[in-house]
């Protein structure tokens, strides 16, 4: 782990996207696209500018050679590629298909992915190297090559054995990635194990920014229909339209719990069932333990006979003995029902769990699994920002939250 819990800042990288004007012009103003694409989308392209833009686009496209296809879906095709002048420099080329149902052929979530990956340069955020369009007007994103698959595949593989030191390393990388997003005023809004891709050196990278957005004005409404259900915090299930980075921290807590248990901690079949399972696990939200909760649109009061007391440290130590008392304390701070009482990403990184024994496993010693390139292809072909509400259907188990 880095000497600072926050890790080091990644050097800035220029992202070239000179020909995205064809499809991004309609959304550029509201999404603040930066870099070489900005000038092109900000105003109509003149003939001379178009020729220059198209030549720049060709130059970028010619830098890369596509090798084998590693995934294809209705949304995108993913190839392993390399720099033309250096075959050892591997990249993932994600070709987003034009869809006539969207204005200019490109969905808003694809625009978000380009926008936020341009802005966020950090070792624990997937790197966007280049953007170019092809002759058939499809948009291609040149991403860093992450052949280790994702955390979901490690959790689900019973042949992979890992311990608390490994979990500490993975959670440290996730926490630093989320901290960097929040430091740059970006909410990810879909943190889950299969959005945490693994590099060849073992580094975990936060991917899929299709639901991301910039921090809003405190009085500006945002959608509550974000974050895959099992990782969605109670304030969103209750319909909150103003919220903070606390929503990402709850998701981090759910990933932490899943790494410890190797199954999702609270796994509802519907939003109502999810809310019920959260209440069963952590306690029933009331005005006493969460002032203002009753004013949220979808909050349903619970009669006193069915109230579940707010759970304390003993509950987390019983449910997650592997984490130890200090790890249980960190997890409890991530899972506070009231988002105002939840730890921030900065506070999570300053927690003393990271400094006690065992120390985080070094990247090169972390558990690995073969076949990660295909998993990377499958992950990148998913439409960004698509909420997967049916994961782990056969793996979820009913936890007895009353156990001693």
């Amino acid at each position: 782990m880095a000497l600072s819990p926050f890790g080091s800042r990644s050097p800035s990288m220029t992202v070239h996207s000179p020909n995205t004007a064809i499809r991004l012009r309609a959304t550029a103003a509201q999404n603040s696209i930066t870099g070489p694409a900005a000038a092109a989308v900000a105003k109509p392209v003149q003939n001379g500018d178009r020729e220059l833009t198209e030549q720049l686009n060709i130059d970028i496209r010619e830098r890369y050679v596509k090798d084998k296809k590693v995934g294809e879906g209705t949304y995108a095709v993913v190839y392993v590629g390399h720099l033309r002048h250096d075959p050892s420099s591997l990249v993932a080329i994600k070709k987003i298909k034009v869809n006539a149902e969207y204005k200019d052929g490109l969905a808003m979530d694809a625009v978000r992915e380009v926008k936020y990956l341009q802005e966020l340069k950090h070792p624990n955020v997937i790197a966007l190297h280049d953007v170019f369009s092809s002759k058939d007007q499809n948009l291609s994103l040149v991403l860093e090559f992450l052949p280790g698959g994702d955390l979901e595949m490690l959790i689900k593989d019973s042949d992979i054995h890992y311990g608390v030191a490994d979990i500490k390393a993975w959670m440290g990388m996730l926490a630093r990635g989320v901290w960097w997003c929040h430091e740059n005023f970006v909410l990810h809004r879909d943190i889950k194990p299969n959005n945490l891709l693994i590099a060849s050196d073992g580094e975990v990278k936060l991917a899929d920014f299709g639901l991301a957005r910039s921090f809003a004005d405190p009085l500006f409404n945002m959608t509550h229909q974000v974050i895959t259900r099992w990782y969605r915090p109670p304030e969103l299930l209750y319909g909150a339209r103003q919220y903070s980075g606390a929503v990402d921290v709850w998701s981090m807590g759910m990933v932490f719990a899943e790494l410890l248990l190797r199954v999702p901690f609270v796994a509802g079949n519907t939003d109502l069932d999810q809310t019920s399972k959260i209440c069963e696990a952590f306690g029933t939200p009331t005005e006493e333990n969460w002032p203002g909760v009753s004013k949220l649109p979808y909050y349903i009061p619970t009669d006193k006979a069915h109230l579940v007391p707010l759970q304390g440290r003993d509950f987390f130590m019983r449910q997650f003995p592997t984490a130890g008392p200090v790890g249980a304390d960190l997890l409890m701070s991530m899972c506070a029902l009231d988002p105002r009482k939840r730890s921030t990403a900065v506070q999570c990184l300053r927690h003393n769990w990271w400094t006690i024994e065992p120390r985080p496993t070094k990247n090169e010693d972390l558990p690995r699994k073969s076949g990660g390139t295909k998993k990377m292809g499958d992950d990148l072909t998913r439409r960004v920002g698509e909420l997967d509400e049916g994961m782990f259907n056969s793996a979820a188990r009913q936890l007895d939250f009353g156990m001693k």
Side-chain angles (χ1 to χ4, degrees), residues 200-222:
S200 57
D201 63 356
E203 197 78 20
V204 168
K205 312 270 185 172
L206 188 54
D208 192 345
F209 282 77
L211 287 174
R213 66 154 298 153
S214 300
F215 281 20
D217 182 288
L219 301 178
F220 189 81
N221 282 345
M222 297 182 284

Side-chain angles (χ1 to χ4, degrees), residues 108-133:
M108 180 65 73
D109 42 32
V111 177
R112 287 196 190 101
E113 184 174 35
V114 173
K115 167 182 164 56
Y116 291 114
L117 290 182
Q118 282 184 322
E119 295 177 1
L120 298 167
K121 303 300 173 188
H122 188 269
N124 299 116
V125 176
I126 187 172
L128 174 67
H129 298 318
D130 271 314
V131 181
F132 62 85
S133 62

Side-chain angles (χ1 to χ4, degrees), residues 152 155-156 229-231 258 261-270 273-274 277 389-401:
E152 180 188 59
I155 292 170
K156 294 175 72 172
R229 183 183 297 124
W230 296 355
Y231 309 92
E258 191 168 325
L261 297 175
R262 303 199 75 151
V263 291
F265 182 43
V266 281
N269 297 317
T270 64
D273 186 41
Q274 184 69 23
K277 282 182 164 56
E389 309 288 34
M391 303 181 308
F392 277 122
N393 281 342
S394 61
R397 64 175 181 175
Q398 298 297 316
L399 298 175
D400 180 6
F401 297 114

Side-chain angles (χ1 to χ4, degrees), residues 95-329:
K95 182 178 178 181
I96 301 173
K97 298 177 180 178
V98 170
N99 190 328
E101 107 182 57
Y102 301 112
K103 184 178 177 67
D104 297 319
L106 199 63
M108 180 65 73
D109 42 32
V111 177
R112 287 196 190 101
E113 184 174 35
V114 173
K115 167 182 164 56
Y116 291 114
L117 290 182
Q118 282 184 322
E119 295 177 1
L120 298 167
K121 303 300 173 188
H122 188 269
N124 299 116
V125 176
I126 187 172
L128 174 67
H129 298 318
D130 271 314
V131 181
F132 62 85
S133 62
S134 54
K135 293 177 182 177
D136 56 6
Q137 300 304 308
N138 288 306
L139 191 69
S140 290
L141 278 57
V142 182
L143 300 158
E144 67 177 308
F145 181 61
L146 302 173
D150 58 34
L151 274 188
E152 180 188 59
M153 68 185 285
L154 296 182
I155 292 170
K156 294 175 72 172
D157 190 338
S158 58
D159 292 329
I160 299 285
H161 301 285
Y162 59 78
V164 67
D166 305 316
I167 294 172
K168 192 175 286 191
W170 288 325
M171 284 302 302
M173 297 176 210
L174 169 57
R176 290 193 292 275
V178 173
W179 163 76
W180 185 245
C181 290
H182 293 179
E183 183 80 357
N184 287 275
F185 308 104
V186 174
L187 300 176
H188 184 276
R189 303 199 302 180
D190 198 21
I191 294 167
K192 55 188 177 184
N194 68 356
N195 280 341
L196 299 170
L197 307 190
I198 304 171
S200 57
D201 63 356
E203 197 78 20
V204 168
K205 312 270 185 172
L206 188 54
D208 192 345
F209 282 77
L211 287 174
R213 66 154 298 153
S214 300
F215 281 20
D217 182 288
L219 301 178
F220 189 81
N221 282 345
M222 297 182 284
T223 178
H224 64 279
Q225 295 290 349
V226 289
I227 304 180
T228 298
R229 183 183 297 124
W230 296 355
Y231 309 92
R232 191 180 303 161
E235 62 267 31
L236 296 187
L237 291 163
Y238 286 140
R241 301 299 299 275
Q242 290 105 33
Y243 47 85
S244 68
V247 298
D248 286 341
V249 173
W250 175 277
S251 301
M252 285 171 52
M254 294 300 100
V255 172
F256 189 6
E258 191 168 325
L259 282 166
L260 291 164
L261 297 175
R262 303 199 75 151
V263 291
F265 182 43
V266 281
N269 297 317
T270 64
D271 288 358
L272 187 60
D273 186 41
Q274 184 69 23
T275 305
S276 175
K277 282 182 164 56
I278 288 174
C279 294
E280 182 185 354
F282 299 107
T284 307
T286 64
E287 280 294 324
E288 286 68 37
N289 59 43
W290 181 351
V293 66
S294 62
K295 296 181 174 62
L296 294 175
Y298 302 145
Y299 177 77
I300 301 173
T302 304
D303 61 83
K304 291 186 178 180
H306 294 92
L307 285 176
V308 178
L310 202 63
Q311 299 288 2
R313 187 172 284 100
D314 289 346
F315 166 82
F316 286 88
M317 290 176 62
R318 289 196 309 270
Q319 290 288 343
F320 306 98
T322 308
V326 182
D329 180 78

Side-chain angles (χ1 to χ4, degrees), residues 66-100:
K66 286 181 184 176
D67 294 326
K68 68 176 181 178
K69 183 191 299 183
V70 293
E72 180 170 9
T74 56
Y75 173 76
V77 185
V78 177
Y79 302 86
V80 172
H82 64 265
L83 283 168
R84 187 173 298 277
H85 70 273
D86 183 4
S88 66
S89 296
L90 298 180
V91 294
I93 300 176
K94 178 178 179 177
K95 182 178 178 181
I96 301 173
K97 298 177 180 178
V98 170
N99 190 328

